[in-house]
Amino acid sequence: MLIRNLLCVTLNDGAGGVAEHLLAQGWRVAQATNLAAAGRMQAHQRFPVSLLIIGTPLAGSEHALEACVKASNGSEWVAVCDREALESPGFRDLLLNCFFDHQTLPLVWHDLELVLEHAAQRAMLRSRQHPHVHAADSLGLVGQGPVITRLREQIRKVAATEAPVLLGGESGSGKELAARAVHRCSHRAAGPFVAVNCGAIAPSLIYSELFGHERGAFTGASSQRHGLIEAANGGTIFLDEIGDLPLELQTSLLRFLQEKTITRVGAVRSLPVDARVVAASHQDLAECVAMGRFREDLFYRLNVLPIEVPPLRRHMEDVPMLAEYFFQCCAVNGTTRVRGFNQQAMAAMMAHTWPGNVRELYNRVQRAVVMTDQRLIGPADLGLAPAARPAGIGLDAARTLAERDAIFLTLTRVGHNVTRAARELGVSRMTLYRLMDKHSMSLPSGQGAGPSGLPMSSGSQAAAHGTF
């Protein structure tokens, strides 16, 4: 069935009455009058079709438009614009690369309706071909396991407040993604999200980068410049790797957290800035405080709402879904004959310890999509060794291992939903529980009952190994 949900984004006094006309034609229309509002709507709902009514684009607006289009989670975009807009090379490139089609003013209603119908049909086909592209939820997180479910709950709780958030976790585990989820879930979602890597800015420049400077404040300061904190006014400033911030800068950041004001280099007056701080570090900041490398008072100011972003090895049940999601993202962005992963590749990914976490998984999948010559990605394409098998096993042992692997991979793929796994394996649910007992498998903590409330057998509950 065709889904007739549509986001109508009207900018620069574009053609009026379009939303009303589409409503009369049976479309369910959500309206936005600026890109920030459009982004907020996209964060909470997926629209198969989005309509941009722009008249004549503002100079330099192409980058903001492109960011909005690419953040729309697979929506098919149609533009309505003045003919003069097509004279802009940047806008032409945007239409050619990111839009399904466009119409020029004055509108021909029948033509617009046909284009929107075709766009909706294409969106439906795309969703069927690439179901995992939309696996990311409204927070941008992928995964169904208990660890990611708990992370979602924590993010939604802290997003409802204004207090600082401190994200901990290993490199590559997704701390910036969690920070963006906090911003996206908060009432500041329509405001800017400014990410700063504190370890990537030269110590001599970091104060000016964060707080800005006045004209003539130092040699080369030919004009006034707003700092990154000021750029986040009304939104969220994300300070990544805050443990690398020099001690002298920590004092200025502490003052901002306490007073919500900043002082540019060379300025004599402070400026109020309304920006929420979300900080992150892969280091143990409490240990850094003990070693004298981080201010204790700043640590306590930041550590109001701590969240630990888990390493990938703690939610291995999400590896197949993440791998499929990354594969579809990479496949959509280019032309490829690859159709997915073979069973050996999945087994190899489940056996890998992922020291580089989710970032490593994405990089390996991206490389495999580009480099493989096969229709299905294998362990070698991912740069992984095949999952270990005991040497010289007999036929019965090989059958047992194959049976265990089939159960393991199926349960993992369906998020440990026993009913769905049994259906895919072609057995009854009770038979699947019996096989899980046979192979000493158990469900993750909190999933000890089936979807219908049927408890697991005592053997599965008592299994001391083979846990997913």
Side-chain angles (χ1 to χ4, degrees):
M1 179 179 177
L2 203 62
I3 301 175
R4 295 170 66 85
N5 289 346
L6 181 142
L7 174 63
C8 182
V9 185
T10 306
L11 306 177
N12 307 341
D13 298 321
V18 174
E20 291 77 7
H21 179 85
L22 295 176
L23 283 167
Q25 296 300 313
W27 289 87
R28 293 188 290 274
V29 181
Q31 299 185 62
T33 56
N34 56 65
L35 295 179
R40 185 168 63 252
M41 292 178 182
Q42 290 168 349
H44 292 90
Q45 182 180 354
R46 179 178 172 264
F47 297 94
V49 180
S50 296
L51 177 64
L52 174 68
I53 306 172
I54 194 171
T56 302
L58 295 174
S61 64
E62 290 88 354
H63 292 301
L65 286 171
E66 183 176 2
C68 182
V69 171
K70 289 185 175 179
S72 60
N73 201 19
S75 183
E76 295 290 345
W77 281 79
V78 175
V80 173
C81 61
D82 287 332
R83 291 186 182 275
E84 291 78 3
L86 303 180
E87 299 302 319
S88 166
F91 190 65
R92 285 201 307 270
D93 290 343
L94 183 64
L95 291 179
L96 289 171
N97 296 326
C98 302
F99 278 69
F100 174 75
D101 204 345
H102 75 281
Q103 298 281 301
T104 56
L105 296 171
L107 274 175
V108 179
W109 291 114
H110 177 68
D111 292 349
L112 178 63
E113 290 163 14
L114 285 178
V115 168
L116 294 177
E117 290 284 349
H118 292 163
Q121 292 170 7
R122 184 175 178 85
M124 182 176 65
L125 289 176
R126 189 186 297 279
S127 66
R128 289 180 177 177
Q129 185 179 6
H130 304 300
H132 293 282
V133 169
H134 308 302
D137 61 8
S138 62
L139 299 182
L141 303 179
V142 177
Q144 297 177 341
V147 173
I148 291 299
T149 299
R150 174 171 169 74
L151 179 62
R152 287 191 182 98
E153 293 172 353
Q154 291 177 321
I155 286 172
R156 289 192 172 96
K157 287 179 181 178
V158 303
T161 73
E162 284 291 295
V165 178
L166 182 60
L167 300 170
E170 299 176 7
S171 294
S173 58
K175 294 188 291 295
E176 182 171 345
L177 187 64
R180 290 184 182 275
V182 171
H183 172 74
R184 189 179 295 179
C185 238
S186 72
H187 75 275
R188 296 175 175 269
F193 178 90
V194 179
V196 184
N197 188 330
C198 298
I201 305 175
S204 59
L205 299 175
I206 193 166
Y207 189 99
S208 176
E209 289 290 320
L210 286 178
F211 297 96
H213 61 252
E214 298 289 346
R215 179 180 180 182
F218 50 83
T219 302
S222 57
S223 62
Q224 183 190 78
R225 177 175 178 175
H226 294 185
L228 294 170
I229 293 178
E230 193 174 349
N233 190 40
T236 303
I237 178 81
F238 172 54
L239 301 174
D240 197 10
E241 299 303 345
I242 197 169
D244 295 332
L245 198 67
L247 279 170
E248 56 270 21
L249 261 295
Q250 294 178 23
T251 304
S252 301
L253 181 60
L254 178 63
R255 178 171 180 173
F256 166 66
L257 286 168
Q258 291 174 334
E259 302 178 10
K260 292 297 182 182
T261 62
I262 62 167
T263 304
R264 298 182 188 138
V265 178
V268 295
R269 291 186 300 178
S270 298
L271 297 171
V273 176
D274 175 28
R276 184 184 191 178
V277 173
V278 178
S281 177
H282 74 280
Q283 306 177 59
D284 186 339
L285 290 186
E287 184 178 325
C288 292
V289 169
M291 298 173 63
R293 293 192 289 109
F294 200 83
R295 289 183 61 105
E296 185 176 19
D297 47 5
L298 178 58
F299 171 67
Y300 289 122
R301 272 284 176 180
L302 292 170
N303 198 38
V304 179
L305 297 170
I307 293 179
E308 188 71 18
V309 180
L312 183 55
R313 62 181 175 274
R314 280 182 46 201
H315 56 110
M316 289 293 290
E317 65 273 10
D318 293 324
V319 167
M321 180 177 287
L322 283 164
E324 290 286 354
Y325 176 74
F326 292 148
F327 167 74
Q328 298 295 352
C329 289
C330 295
V332 165
N333 292 335
T335 56
T336 178
R337 296 173 59 252
V338 187
R339 291 293 175 263
F341 304 91
N342 63 27
Q343 186 175 359
Q344 292 75 22
M346 279 293 181
M349 286 190 285
M350 295 303 296
H352 190 56
T353 57
W354 300 109
N357 295 298
V358 179
R359 183 185 296 133
E360 179 190 356
L361 175 58
Y362 175 77
N363 290 341
R364 287 184 182 274
V365 172
Q366 185 179 41
R367 180 180 63 183
V369 171
V370 174
M371 300 302 294
T372 187
D373 295 322
Q374 308 299 319
R375 299 283 283 185
L376 294 176
I377 293 171
D381 302 314
L382 295 163
L384 299 175
R389 293 283 190 186
I393 61 174
L395 183 58
D396 289 341
R399 286 172 177 158
T400 300
L401 285 171
E403 183 179 74
R404 187 185 192 283
D405 283 352
I407 296 170
F408 177 83
L409 291 172
T410 303
L411 280 169
T412 301
R413 185 173 61 253
V414 301
H416 302 103
N417 184 309
V418 176
T419 300
R420 287 180 58 193
R423 188 182 304 121
E424 289 197 13
L425 291 167
V427 298
S428 70
R429 195 168 56 176
M430 291 306 299
T431 298
L432 180 54
Y433 279 130
R434 179 179 57 77
L435 292 172
M436 291 170 65
D437 281 341
K438 170 185 172 182
H439 295 291
S440 299
M441 295 179 179
S442 64
L443 295 174
S445 176
Q447 297 191 19
S452 300
L454 182 66
M456 290 182 62
S457 59
S458 59
S460 290
Q461 292 174 337
H465 59 282
T467 303
F468 292 100

